[in-house]
Amino acid sequence: MAMWDRIKDQAKNLQQTQGGRTPGAPGGHGSGGHGAHGSGSKSSKAQLVGLLKTQLTSLKSELKSGAYRDASMAMCALVAAADGTVDPAERQHVESLILQNDVLQNFPPDQLRQRFNKHADQLSFNFQQGKAAVLQEIAKAAKKPAEARAVVQTGFVIAGADGYVAPAEEQVLREACAALGVSPQEFGL
């Protein structure tokens, strides 16, 4: 647990030094808060994604449970479908990110691919029903706080792989935080 506290402090320090929102600060959830992203916000999000990726990699040896695997694949599908659709190119791109992820290499690629595609199919068929099912799968990782945070980190890394976390992706990451009982402020959301 001490390791997670150090990681959390590093992320908090990064947010504060980059001029990001201070955890618990008001704002960002009102009207117009989701569409406007200044260059500082984009830069600090990209740096936060890099830090989260490094932190996640440092926990690789601890993240080998089936609950983490399944919740992470549900999280990745939710991020891919954040805008309500998953087109074939986006599905293929996220699948390749999953298979290249250091931590997810703890699991056989076929298991990851099968679980990701199952959730992506659910979300593509009926986004609202699929989202409810995916959030239930994500919530199963809530029993272990370190794994719960790692699931959110995995989603953040996938969402920010292109250097930008879209407002719709931030929204589904917040919803995943709620399902896991993790404060979205820990991730600058």
Side-chain angles (χ1 to χ4, degrees), residues 52-63:
L52 292 174
K53 187 174 185 178
T54 301
Q55 293 169 351
L56 200 54
T57 301
S58 74
L59 297 172
K60 181 177 180 173
S61 65
E62 299 171 37
L63 298 172

Side-chain angles (χ1 to χ4, degrees), residues 15 20-29 34 37 45 48-49 52 75 79 152-153 155-156 159 165-178 182-189:
Q15 284 179 319
R21 286 192 313 239
T22 305
H29 295 289
H34 294 294
H37 286 285
K45 285 283 190 228
L48 180 59
V49 168
L52 292 174
M75 181 81 249
V79 166
V152 177
Q153 286 175 308
F156 221 113
V165 180
E169 293 168 335
E170 287 182 356
Q171 179 58 38
V172 296
L173 287 165
R174 277 192 290 277
E175 290 176 39
C177 285
V182 175
S183 170
Q185 285 82 14
E186 287 185 38
F187 302 95
L189 297 170

Side-chain angles (χ1 to χ4, degrees), residues 36 119 126 133 144 147 156 176 183:
H119 294 301
N126 182 321
K144 296 182 180 174
E147 284 187 8
F156 221 113
S183 170

Side-chain angles (χ1 to χ4, degrees), residues 114-132:
Q114 182 264 333
R115 283 163 174 81
F116 168 73
N117 283 310
K118 175 187 132 190
H119 294 301
D121 289 344
Q122 286 177 312
L123 290 159
S124 294
F125 181 70
N126 182 321
F127 182 72
Q128 290 305 321
Q129 284 182 351
K131 185 163 94 168

